[in-house]
Amino acid sequence: MSKLVVEELSVSLEGKRVLEGISFEVDTVDIVGIVGANGAGKTTLLNAVAGLIQTTTGKISLDGVDVSQLGPEERIRRSLGYVPDGPGVFRSLTVRENLMVGGMVRGDEDIEMVITLFPDLKNCLSMLAGSLSAYQRRQCAFGRALMSRPSLLMIDELSLGLSPISADALARTLPDIAAYQVGIILVEQDIDRTLSLVDRAYVIEGGSIVVDGSPGELLSQGSFVEKYLWGS
Amino acid sequence: MLFEYAVVAGVLFGLFYAFLSIGLNLVFGVQRIVNLAHGDVIMIGGFASWELYYTYHISPLLSVVLVIPPTVLAGFIIYRLIDGPLSRAQDPEMLSLILFFGVSQILEALVTIFLGNNQRSIPDSSLVHGPVHFLGQSYPGVWWIVAGASIPMVGLVILYLYRTKLGTATRAIMADPIEAAAVGIDVRKVSAITFGVGLAITASVGAIAPFMIGGVDPSEGVNLTILAFAVIVIGSLGNIGGTVVGGLIFGVAFELAQLYLPSWSSLIPYVLLLAVLLFKPSGVLGKRVRSA
């Protein structure tokens, strides 16, 4: 049984259909990419899976349990982690408090796993998250989401606000995170980078998945390369 | 010497103003609820304290604590009623403004119907006998008692926010309610608790406010709400520590104005409010300008 199963998901925001008939599955230890242009509906899809917005139709299951009607806190409790595309940290809280808040749903404040993955954070635990560099802030955002010990982590824009070097450094932690039996859904605009990181990618366009497959399969399709890579 | 007197009085009143305003900031910070009935909750706390003193001879200092449990309960009930409409609203700040304007009017009308339109006061002797001498000046003893009671009450709110898990979750919601939901915080539950605590601390200050503002009457709510808004805007909306700074600035400015420009002093809340909004809209301690 897959960790996350999304079936025929549709979402309307302010009367406008943003997602239409989305279906996909993710298992723990999978790294799955969802790529597409700005405005394609990627963030909406993650928000819908996290329960932050209402879905119109369709079904979302975690570990075989239908969570479509549950609130976000119930879904996080069922080991879903989310690094949103916003700040990803509570700026007015210290790094340690950010991690604590992330662990609240599990009632555990053990930050060791996070410090092992992101040793840089160790020296700024008592700093306000708002005063961190963009790279440290992103690490803190990852740490905050990992504190609930998710078995599925959704990341909205890994490289958000980062230099290419920092983005690469953060990308290198993904296999380490996956090694903790964490499945990863990575949402990105940067298709090149995503294909180098994931086991499978879904391309979303106009609110629907138009093509999917392993990076090798996608790259062997001339039409895919022409449409999504040559232009970028 | 008069200057020193005004500054000391300003600090004493400033601590009281911080206590008077902190609940408004708490309620605003969490759910962006603009509680226009804030002053009316203080007024009800004042009448409760008056009633408890004259009927049961309970010290108003004890009433500061006694009014808390029933107000927390009332806060939960009110929150349950308004949570649905507010979370569905496109502009919750505006809706809360209108809702609580109505609540304010209703509370004032109900109190007037049941208790009459007269101002009532509690004698200073219920708290303390005689003045307090400090640095060669003599001050009403109640000012020191009320300021002294304000410190632990405000301190408790700050301790709650900064030293408890629930408080940390509350500050996370203040920072970003959507991200708080994204890490699994039960935003509704924590907001309901914060709303209850915010109202309770407000009723609580009402129990001793009559000593500082000359009594309690059903129509005092509006002015107290404006005063509290001035204090939290000066300090920074949504920043609880800022409320203390805002209270002290307001208290000292008001006392100095009473000394040097007595006929203008009642304009102080508005002048400070406008000055902050024009020159430092985020408040003295604020870093970011609010989006709304």
Side-chain angles (χ1 to χ4, degrees):
Chain A
M1 188 191 335
S2 291
K3 176 67 195 167
L4 170 73
V5 181
V6 174
E7 293 164 84
E8 291 297 319
L9 182 77
S10 297
V11 173
S12 295
L13 294 177
E14 289 167 17
K16 210 177 126 210
R17 189 51 67 96
V18 184
L19 293 177
E20 179 84 60
I22 299 261
S23 299
F24 68 99
E25 291 184 18
V26 185
D27 220 331
T28 42
V29 311
D30 277 353
I31 303 183
V32 167
I34 295 175
V35 293
N38 212 350
K42 307 186 298 293
T43 297
T44 306
L45 174 58
L46 293 194
N47 282 340
V49 173
L52 294 173
I53 53 172
Q54 290 265 320
T55 54
T56 315
T57 56
K59 189 171 149 190
I60 299 164
S61 314
L62 282 169
D63 292 320
V65 178
D66 183 357
V67 297
S68 312
Q69 303 305 319
L70 298 180
E73 67 279 359
E74 279 300 320
R75 301 189 198 190
I76 305 293
R77 206 182 301 281
R78 284 162 201 270
S79 64
L80 182 69
Y82 188 17
V83 182
D85 73 338
V89 296
F90 302 110
R91 290 164 186 271
S92 50
L93 270 60
T94 65
V95 172
R96 187 188 295 280
E97 287 173 335
N98 266 280
L99 299 181
M100 258 177 61
V101 170
M104 266 176 199
V105 69
R106 198 171 50 96
D108 190 344
E109 292 173 16
D110 183 8
I111 60 173
E112 202 170 305
M113 170 191 171
V114 172
I115 297 296
T116 310
L117 284 167
F118 305 106
D120 289 4
L121 290 180
K122 196 175 181 180
N123 294 322
C124 39
L125 283 174
S126 21
M127 285 167 68
L128 288 184
S131 68
L132 299 176
S133 72
Y135 180 47
Q136 289 169 322
R137 204 179 303 154
R138 213 61 192 142
Q139 288 183 313
C140 182
F142 274 59
R144 188 184 76 177
L146 286 168
M147 280 297 287
S148 63
R149 294 291 185 278
S151 48
L152 182 70
L153 182 67
M154 305 194 294
I155 301 166
D156 198 353
E157 299 284 346
L158 174 98
S159 51
L160 188 80
L162 297 182
S163 69
I165 294 173
S166 302
D168 286 340
L170 199 53
R172 278 195 293 275
T173 63
L174 291 186
D176 300 337
I177 294 173
Y180 282 92
Q181 295 294 307
V182 180
I184 295 175
I185 302 180
L186 181 62
V187 152
E188 271 284 350
Q189 278 189 61
D190 185 339
I191 297 177
D192 257 339
R193 181 196 307 283
T194 309
L195 291 183
S196 70
L197 295 169
V198 301
D199 304 313
R200 200 166 75 252
Y202 295 86
V203 180
I204 191 168
E205 198 181 294
S208 300
I209 290 171
V210 286
V211 55
D212 70 275
S214 70
E217 289 165 2
L218 290 172
L219 290 171
S220 66
Q221 294 176 21
S223 59
F224 173 83
V225 174
E226 198 176 320
K227 186 163 183 192
Y228 295 103
L229 292 180
W230 282 6
S232 61
Chain B
M1 286 309 273
L2 277 175
F3 175 79
E4 282 95 330
Y5 179 86
V7 170
V8 171
V11 169
L12 295 176
F13 269 86
L15 292 166
F16 164 67
Y17 290 147
F19 184 16
L20 183 127
S21 316
I22 201 162
L24 182 66
N25 211 359
L26 208 54
V27 166
F28 177 80
V30 170
Q31 282 298 65
R32 295 283 180 261
I33 289 173
V34 182
N35 180 9
L36 283 186
H38 180 78
D40 301 281
V41 177
I42 298 175
M43 178 263 292
I44 287 176
F47 274 109
S49 177
W50 184 89
E51 194 68 41
L52 287 169
Y53 177 71
Y54 280 103
T55 311
Y56 302 102
H57 309 293
I58 290 172
S59 162
L61 272 184
L62 191 57
S63 299
V64 168
V65 182
L66 287 180
V67 297
I68 289 177
T71 325
V72 170
L73 195 67
F76 283 165
I77 295 169
I78 296 172
Y79 191 82
R80 282 199 80 91
L81 293 174
I82 60 173
D83 178 42
L86 282 181
S87 57
R88 284 191 298 272
Q90 294 217 340
D91 186 350
E93 280 185 37
M94 193 62 199
L95 178 62
S96 73
L97 200 91
I98 296 163
L99 263 173
F100 282 93
F101 178 70
V103 172
S104 166
Q105 297 297 307
I106 291 168
L107 289 179
E108 183 179 334
L110 284 176
V111 172
T112 308
I113 290 167
F114 288 108
L115 298 172
N117 205 8
N118 307 320
Q119 194 189 46
R120 313 197 184 186
S121 56
I122 310 172
D124 286 4
S125 60
S126 66
L127 286 187
V128 67
H129 291 281
V132 168
H133 299 281
F134 181 69
L135 296 177
Q137 302 276 347
S138 167
Y139 303 86
V142 282
W143 290 6
W144 290 85
I145 300 278
V146 170
S150 301
I151 293 171
M153 294 306 287
V154 171
L156 278 176
V157 175
I158 291 174
L159 273 182
Y160 160 73
L161 283 173
Y162 287 84
R163 287 286 176 272
T164 69
K165 279 189 185 177
L166 197 56
T168 309
T170 308
R171 285 188 296 127
I173 297 174
M174 285 179 170
D176 194 323
I178 293 171
E179 293 222 347
V183 294
I185 293 178
D186 192 335
V187 175
R188 282 190 166 175
K189 192 170 116 195
V190 177
S191 300
I193 293 169
T194 313
F195 185 77
V197 170
L199 280 199
I201 198 88
T202 304
S204 168
V205 72
I208 46 173
F211 299 105
M212 302 302 262
I213 58 178
V216 51
D217 77 82
S219 60
E220 73 186 15
V222 178
N223 286 330
L224 291 174
T225 302
I226 293 171
L227 193 158
F229 262 110
V231 167
I232 65 173
V233 169
I234 293 166
S236 167
L237 278 176
N239 178 337
I240 300 301
T243 308
V244 178
V245 176
L248 290 172
I249 291 176
F250 184 85
V252 173
F254 186 77
E255 292 301 321
L256 288 175
Q258 286 231 309
L259 178 61
Y260 295 112
L261 298 162
S263 51
W264 294 82
S265 61
S266 55
L267 280 180
I268 283 291
Y270 307 100
V271 173
L272 280 176
L273 197 61
L274 285 179
V276 168
L277 287 176
L278 286 176
F279 300 111
K280 190 132 187 350
S282 55
V284 175
L285 284 196
K287 291 192 184 73
R288 271 180 309 164
V289 178
R290 291 194 326 114
S291 58

